[in-house]
Amino acid sequence: MSDDELAAKEREFEAQPLTAELVYQRFGEGICCAAQVFGALAPAAGIDGRSARKIAAGFGSGMACAGTCGCVTGALMALGCRFGNFVPGQADRRTAFFEKRQRFLQEFTRRFGSCSCPQLLMDYDPADPSDLEKIKSQGLMQKVCAPMVLAAIEIAGEILKEEM
């Protein structure tokens, strides 16, 4: 693919309004939950969407170690880009960021019951090939993951509108 073709594809990608159907389609095209969340929040976080998606690419599916949901890690990356401390001596900034992080985590957990990828997916681990087949056959990526992507964007997006 030429640079021009790639740039056109990227512009088209970023111009599409996110819906649950589009999120699910992008899963099939190889864009994980973390990349979709961080990519969507990138402008408000002060980073470009391409960089955000590339950074988050390895964080989907609980980081393939039955870990934290990629929707959560993607949102926390965005919040960190906007509000995180970045040089020594920013204890106040760190405290303020941790309060924002906690608000995100509490709201996400209130809505979905957990931040753990396998717990959210009926105790299936998407890193396990046999579990992944069950996740796909039961439509969990469409029923569970796609709505969580949109919710994580919504919750973190509200926090990103705030001042530090």
Side-chain angles (χ1 to χ4, degrees):
M1 186 177 300
S2 73
D3 287 347
D4 288 342
E5 291 170 324
L6 185 60
K9 189 169 183 82
E10 186 173 8
R11 282 191 300 277
E12 178 185 335
F13 179 93
E14 291 186 352
Q16 294 176 309
L18 274 181
T19 63
E21 294 80 22
L22 183 57
V23 168
Y24 179 67
Q25 175 187 326
R26 288 179 175 175
F27 288 150
E29 295 170 345
I31 309 296
C32 74
C33 49
Q36 291 196 59
V37 170
F38 192 17
L41 294 169
I47 186 172
D48 67 277
R50 173 194 281 185
S51 295
R53 287 188 301 276
K54 288 171 76 174
I55 290 166
F59 288 82
S61 298
M63 297 170 282
C65 63
T68 301
C69 169
C71 297
V72 172
T73 57
L76 294 181
M77 285 183 235
L79 293 173
C81 279
R82 171 97 162 78
F83 300 117
N85 54 306
F86 53 92
V87 296
Q90 293 184 310
D92 291 346
R93 185 176 181 95
R94 183 174 189 256
T95 299
F97 167 63
F98 280 10
E99 289 171 5
K100 292 178 185 305
R101 176 185 69 180
Q102 190 60 29
R103 283 192 10 243
F104 173 84
L105 294 171
Q106 286 175 338
E107 180 59 18
F108 189 89
T109 302
R110 184 189 70 75
R111 291 190 192 188
F112 299 105
S114 178
C115 288
S116 165
C117 185
Q119 286 179 2
L120 293 163
L121 292 170
M122 299 175 53
D123 292 322
Y124 295 128
D125 179 358
D128 178 306
S130 65
D131 279 3
L132 182 58
E133 282 306 312
K134 292 172 188 165
I135 290 166
K136 288 180 179 180
S137 70
Q138 293 180 33
L140 296 179
M141 291 181 78
Q142 189 169 16
K143 294 179 210 169
V144 176
C145 299
M148 284 191 306
V149 166
L150 298 176
I153 292 167
E154 174 199 336
I155 298 164
E158 288 300 314
I159 296 170
L160 285 165
K161 291 177 185 174
E162 300 171 3
E163 294 299 318
M164 185 54 154

